[in-house]
Amino acid sequence: MGQFELGLDAPICLTWELTYACNLSCVHCLSSSGRRDPRELSTAQAEAVIDELQRMQVFYVNIGGGEPTVRPDFWHLLDYSVAHQVGVKFSTNGVRLTPDRASQLARTDYVDVQVSLDGATAQVNDRVRGAGSYVTALRALDNLAEAGFGNAKISVVVTRENAGQLDDFKRLADDRGATLRLTRLRPSGRGADVWDELHPTMAQQRELYSWLLANGENVLTGDSFFHLAGFGESLPGLNLCGAGRVVCLIDPIGDVYACPFAIHENFLAGNVLHDGGFAKVWRESELFTDLRSPQTSGACTKCQHFDACRGGCMAAKFFTGLPLDGPDPECVQGYGEAALAGDRVVPAASQDHSRTAPTKSAPVFVPLGVGPVAPPVHACAESPLAGLALETV
């Protein structure tokens, strides 16, 4: 744990968002995806990044987006990465995981697939991810299972509406020979617009904690829920903020951020296209050096639970307008609730790739106890999937 806090020569988990283009408009999208950025790294530039990761001996890269499979060169980059000893874990809504693609993946070593699902029923899932997205995700998972792809992942963002479906999610995964992966809802990107309505209640947090204690050895969580350790014992997974220490993010234009959940200029460390490339950013950036130095956590250090929860999530604090040396907004001891009630300034998003109008599959999020409202949309100039021909499914 001490070595993790000081930082490693290369990240354990490097997230790379290949594109902001997406066929869905999920209401909680942390990167506000929808339209592609015209400055996306070219195929050659992406290959050069993979070459550098190989030299750094990065074991695998976690590919996301947007929807990464809508990039025309996605399958080429996947093969290129594997051929250069960099494994690929990619997250998808399943739109392009046809039987043929599933068979291709089943024949490819060092590839892992995570299919996103945010409801164990279509009613719950599609209100967040869009009409038809539940059927699309299950069809992709079934295609993988029928092709003999071993141990796919079902990736779930835990929300107020699906927190009671954990056993159902586990059954969906078990029935398909898959593994359940749970992640925390962060108030970043479009998630900031719906966090108040969607983040789990305190009672649900307690139930989630108990469920993870009972099932966590067979469920993946990464570093999502270390803030829950304030209830008592630590949970399986990485129980500290890994930002800039063991994790980071490369975005579609090559910018490097300290945390996959903190895509904001305040957490921008550099760009892979600059002199020295990704390795220089990782090893020498001022931001990462600062994050690897001993951190203060204000009043949290006086709390008896600090050694367990470590003050919680940096991104969750920042995007709710709380100080980074203060409590997590979902602090299980109640300190976050008190902090949220005080004076705070919620930072404006530094970028947004949402579409100006919802697509036919866009969700219409209805907060609990409130009538129908349009999903949050923001102005952005680029056409979403310009020039991209989606494969039929």
Side-chain angles (χ1 to χ4, degrees):
M1 187 72 75
Q3 183 59 48
F4 285 169
E5 290 187 283
L6 295 174
L8 304 176
D9 287 340
I12 290 177
C13 181
L14 168 64
T15 297
W16 186 359
E17 296 190 337
L18 281 181
T19 184
Y20 286 129
C22 191
N23 58 303
L24 298 182
S25 298
C26 302
V27 299
H28 60 5
C29 179
L30 64 91
S31 57
S32 298
S33 290
R35 289 172 165 75
R36 66 175 293 272
D37 191 308
R39 301 169 296 167
E40 272 179 15
L41 297 180
S42 67
T43 300
Q45 289 170 331
E47 289 175 347
V49 172
I50 294 169
D51 292 341
E52 186 171 16
L53 299 181
Q54 181 185 23
R55 290 191 296 271
M56 294 177 68
Q57 297 183 312
V58 172
F59 181 64
Y60 74 88
V61 60
N62 191 1
I63 299 291
E67 172 52 44
T69 64
V70 303
R71 264 191 70 137
D73 60 357
F74 170 76
W75 303 102
H76 163 75
L77 292 175
L78 184 150
D79 289 339
Y80 187 91
S81 185
V82 171
H84 288 75
Q85 293 81 50
V86 179
V88 173
K89 297 186 177 185
F90 73 92
S91 299
T92 177
N93 58 47
V95 67
R96 301 188 97 175
L97 287 189
T98 62
D100 286 344
R101 288 301 189 190
S103 295
Q104 174 187 342
L105 290 168
R107 297 190 300 268
T108 306
D109 292 330
Y110 306 112
V111 173
D112 198 8
V113 184
Q114 297 181 162
V115 179
S116 296
L117 195 68
D118 289 325
T121 60
Q123 181 182 15
V124 173
N125 178 83
D126 289 7
R127 287 194 337 102
V128 172
R129 301 190 62 82
S133 58
Y134 180 81
V135 171
T136 297
L138 289 191
R139 182 169 60 227
L141 288 162
D142 289 339
N143 287 343
L144 289 168
E146 291 168 9
F149 183 91
N151 197 25
K153 308 297 185 294
I154 295 180
S155 184
V156 177
V157 177
V158 180
T159 67
R160 188 171 302 182
E161 298 198 351
N162 67 24
Q165 297 184 317
L166 299 181
D167 288 333
D168 297 325
F169 282 122
K170 189 69 168 60
R171 278 192 291 272
L172 283 173
D174 291 344
D175 289 347
R176 291 162 175 80
T179 297
L180 179 61
R181 178 178 182 267
L182 300 180
T183 61
R184 182 182 178 185
L185 174 69
R186 264 82 168 196
S188 54
R190 286 197 295 269
D193 298 323
V194 296
W195 188 79
D196 286 341
E197 293 83 13
L198 277 185
H199 79 94
T201 65
M202 185 63 74
Q204 289 175 325
Q205 298 268 19
R206 167 64 81 170
E207 292 170 0
L208 171 61
Y209 173 74
S210 298
W211 193 90
L212 288 173
L213 282 179
N215 298 274
E217 294 296 338
N218 300 308
V219 175
L220 302 177
T221 59
D223 65 349
S224 283
F225 300 110
F226 64 94
H227 71 294
L228 297 180
F231 278 129
E233 61 184 285
S234 296
L235 295 167
L238 182 62
N239 283 284
L240 70 103
C241 173
R245 299 181 177 102
V246 297
V247 304
C248 70
L249 174 136
I250 301 175
D251 82 350
I253 66 172
D255 280 342
V256 182
Y257 294 88
C259 171
F261 305 105
I263 307 173
H264 189 278
E265 58 193 14
N266 284 38
F267 303 102
L268 177 60
N271 188 287
V272 300
L273 299 181
H274 296 165
D275 290 345
F278 174 72
K280 184 174 181 179
V281 176
W282 177 258
R283 294 167 179 163
E284 301 179 23
S285 77
E286 182 177 344
L287 174 63
F288 286 1
T289 299
D290 181 59
L291 289 171
R292 293 163 190 165
S293 63
Q295 302 292 304
T296 60
S297 293
C300 278
T301 56
K302 301 176 183 178
C303 176
Q304 63 177 322
H305 302 284
F306 175 73
D307 287 341
C309 78
R310 310 305 292 258
C313 172
M314 176 182 74
K317 298 177 194 182
F318 177 77
F319 287 110
T320 51
L322 298 183
L324 297 186
D325 64 352
D328 188 291
E330 293 182 294
C331 168
V332 299
Q333 296 300 314
Y335 299 118
E337 185 176 354
L340 290 172
D343 293 333
R344 55 194 173 98
V345 178
V346 177
S350 62
Q351 55 178 297
D352 194 334
H353 302 272
S354 303
R355 292 194 281 277
T356 55
T359 65
K360 66 177 182 178
S361 61
V364 178
F365 176 62
V366 184
L368 297 178
V370 181
V373 295
V377 292
H378 305 275
C380 192
E382 267 282 297
S383 173
L385 304 179
L388 300 181
L390 288 178
E391 298 175 359
T392 57
V393 294

